[in-house]
Amino acid sequence: MSEVRTAAQPLWSGTPESERNQVFALYSVFRRPAGTEAIDDVVGAINELKETIEAEKDLATVRGIYDANNLRADADVIVFAHGRKLEDLQTFMRRLRATRIFRDLEAVWQVPGVYNDVEAERIHKPAFTVGEPARNWVVIYPFVRTYEWYLMEPREHGRIMREHGQVGNLYAGVATQTMHAFGMSDYEWILAFESDDSTELVDLLRAMRYTEARLHVRHETPFFYGRRLQDLAELPVVLGYAPDAR
């Protein structure tokens, strides 16, 4: 990010919505409340879920469904979906939540994000927009900068972000998604980092604490961390609808 935008310089001013080549992501976190009824036919419920995801693929792409069970007390499952229209993601999520496997789950946290090519020089393109494959682990968290950050002299702003980026580049196995969330949520940014190594994400975030950009952070929680399910047949075990056979 080498340029400071002001109210007099809207980021997407003059670019019609139909020409922005924009994409949206929706991050949804669910838990199974205590006392919810069991599912008699878990195989049928998973087949219904798979069929729903396939039937709605024109509305949304599911990058991953993640096991967050026992990593946080308030989370069991994370769903990371993206699409071209925010209203399509809303429709998709309604249909997903109507399936038997999701029907009794409680949504504990949901945040959308937006990215388009107009800002290509300001933040990295989300990994899912450039063909980066999904990784085995994900950490998703919001981000809010200090008020002073947006009034900083552009050259100083750019210097700090270059240092920040150089540290991030040391972690080549990490795929990143940085998207605008301000106005859509209580946050300015929503980030999703992915890696096949569960501790590489921890190392990356720890290293980022030792950059000057860290001085300009106002808020960056909650963190949601999870393992991508390679087979949705694992989901009933994660949610406690089926015993763990391992």
Side-chain angles (χ1 to χ4, degrees):
M1 300 180 187
S2 58
E3 180 179 351
V4 175
R5 290 280 172 170
T6 70
Q9 298 172 292
L11 185 60
W12 303 323
S13 177
T15 306
E17 185 174 2
S18 61
E19 298 177 12
R20 290 178 196 159
N21 193 28
Q22 61 191 7
V23 292
F24 297 87
L26 181 60
Y27 306 99
S28 303
V29 181
F30 298 91
R31 73 178 184 94
R32 181 187 174 189
T36 52
E37 294 183 0
I39 296 176
D40 292 332
D41 181 10
V42 292
V43 174
I46 289 301
N47 286 337
E48 178 197 24
L49 176 62
K50 291 178 178 179
E51 290 166 4
T52 298
I53 293 173
E54 177 65 23
E56 307 301 335
K57 65 183 180 181
D58 289 339
L59 297 181
T61 298
V62 176
R63 184 159 176 90
I65 295 180
Y66 303 84
D67 174 8
N69 181 253
N70 286 314
L71 297 181
R72 283 184 64 113
D74 59 350
D76 290 316
V77 172
I78 302 167
V79 179
F80 175 179
H82 58 86
R84 289 291 177 182
K85 296 182 179 180
L86 189 57
E87 59 266 38
D88 285 349
L89 288 176
Q90 289 177 289
T91 298
F92 167 75
M93 190 54 64
R94 280 193 286 270
R95 293 173 182 172
L96 186 79
R97 294 180 67 180
T99 63
R100 182 67 189 91
I101 199 80
F102 273 89
R103 190 178 306 153
D104 293 332
L105 303 186
E106 176 187 355
V108 297
W109 195 78
Q110 287 186 293
V111 178
V114 61
Y115 170 89
N116 69 61
D117 284 348
V118 175
E119 60 189 318
E121 294 181 359
R122 296 173 180 84
I123 61 175
H124 292 297
K125 287 187 176 183
F128 67 80
T129 69
V130 294
E132 286 267 5
R135 309 299 207 267
N136 290 335
W137 292 88
V138 72
V139 59
I140 297 167
Y141 66 100
F143 199 75
V144 180
R145 288 288 189 189
T146 60
Y147 298 117
E148 295 82 5
W149 175 257
Y150 295 101
L151 301 178
M152 187 181 296
E153 196 275 328
R155 184 173 298 177
E156 181 70 0
H157 187 278
R159 179 189 66 78
I160 293 172
M161 288 309 297
R162 281 192 296 275
E163 178 203 22
H164 187 73
Q166 287 167 358
V167 172
N169 289 338
L170 298 175
Y171 297 85
V174 175
T176 66
Q177 279 81 200
T178 302
M179 306 184 81
H180 289 283
F182 199 45
M184 294 180 173
S185 69
D186 296 336
Y187 313 111
E188 292 179 351
W189 306 90
I190 182 69
L191 288 78
F193 292 171
E194 303 169 86
S195 177
D196 287 330
D197 182 338
S198 61
T199 57
E200 184 177 31
L201 296 174
V202 177
D203 290 341
L204 168 64
L205 293 176
R206 182 173 54 193
M208 289 298 188
R209 292 187 300 185
Y210 292 89
T211 66
E212 192 173 344
R214 179 71 179 171
L215 299 175
H216 302 280
V217 176
R218 186 155 53 98
H219 184 86
E220 60 178 348
T221 58
F223 286 88
F224 290 97
Y225 198 82
R227 176 185 62 87
R228 186 170 181 265
L229 300 179
Q230 302 300 318
D231 187 340
L232 291 182
E234 295 181 71
L235 194 52
V237 174
V238 171
L239 292 169
Y241 287 127
D244 192 339
R246 290 178 296 178

